[in-house]
């Protein structure tokens, strides 16, 4: 395998203890991969450094082993983050991409806002707050 291909694969796989589960900030890339693999997309809007329910969603759902195992086989996960602290600011390009996603999928500015999308970007399910369920029930709701 060429070195360039390996670097690209590592970028998408990420450093998740060897798992193929990885979060992405590239919505368009995630849609392309979802189409190729016939998967759904979980898009979630967060305020990673100021929104308590967003932090709980990430810690209790996204980072759980049960969710990671499910997502690896069934989902592309995209986080559109809106940090407030200067030290956590995203690039101008990523901020613009996230704002465009918010205009399309989260116009009311709910945090967290979690959407299950099909491979074309059509909204299948929407949670406009921290889901009031455990991880296993949430995973079942994604099917």
């Amino acid at each position: 395998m060429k070195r360039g291909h390996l670097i690209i694969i590592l970028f998408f796989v990420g450093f998740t203890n060897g798992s193929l589960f990885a979060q992405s900030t590239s919505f368009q890339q995630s849609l392309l991969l979802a189409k190729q693999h016939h998967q759904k997309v979980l898009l979630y809007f967060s305020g990673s450094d100021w929104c308590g329910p967003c932090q709980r969603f990430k810690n209790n759902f996204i980072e759980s082993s049960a969710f990671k195992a499910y997502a690896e086989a069934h989902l592309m996960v995209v986080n559109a983050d809106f940090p407030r602290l200067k030290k956590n600011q995203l690039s101008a390009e990523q901020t613009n991409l996230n704002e465009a996603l918010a205009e399309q999928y989260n116009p009311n500015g709910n945090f967290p806002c979690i959407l299950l999308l099909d491979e074309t970007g059509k909204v299948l399910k929407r949670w406009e707050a921290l889901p009031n369920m455990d991880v296993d029930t949430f995973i079942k709701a994604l099917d």
Side-chain angles (χ1 to χ4, degrees):
M1 182 180 295
K2 293 182 179 178
R3 181 184 166 109
H5 292 123
L6 181 60
I7 291 171
I8 290 170
I9 290 169
L10 288 174
F11 174 77
F12 285 110
V13 171
F15 297 99
T16 56
N17 300 325
S19 169
L20 291 177
F21 169 78
Q23 291 186 64
S24 176
T25 54
S26 172
F27 182 70
Q28 293 304 322
Q29 181 66 34
S30 294
L31 278 181
L32 288 173
L33 290 170
K35 285 179 187 176
Q36 290 173 357
H37 299 286
H38 306 289
Q39 295 180 331
K40 296 174 185 169
V41 176
L42 185 82
L43 169 62
Y44 71 102
F45 293 87
S46 67
S48 62
D49 61 9
W50 59 270
C51 173
C54 301
Q55 294 164 353
R56 286 192 297 281
F57 178 71
K58 182 178 179 187
N59 293 336
N60 298 335
F61 290 81
I62 298 295
E63 293 181 350
S64 74
S65 58
F67 180 84
K68 285 181 181 182
Y70 177 83
E72 186 173 322
H74 302 284
L75 292 175
M76 297 300 304
V77 179
V78 180
N79 179 212
D81 191 23
F82 291 84
R84 290 185 179 165
L85 297 177
K86 188 172 185 171
K87 68 179 183 176
N88 299 329
Q89 290 304 299
L90 306 173
S91 69
E93 178 183 10
Q94 188 63 56
T95 299
N96 289 337
L97 290 170
N98 289 356
E99 288 174 353
L101 283 174
E103 285 178 22
Q104 181 176 0
Y105 290 106
N106 189 14
N108 296 327
N110 296 308
F111 289 92
C113 181
I114 303 133
L115 301 112
L116 181 65
L117 310 171
D118 70 10
E119 59 190 38
T120 67
K122 178 183 173 192
V123 176
L124 302 173
K125 293 186 181 179
R126 173 187 299 267
W127 295 265
E128 294 187 343
L130 181 67
N132 188 19
M133 59 189 81
D134 64 23
V135 174
D136 292 331
T137 305
F138 181 71
I139 291 169
K140 288 176 186 170
L142 298 174
D143 281 330

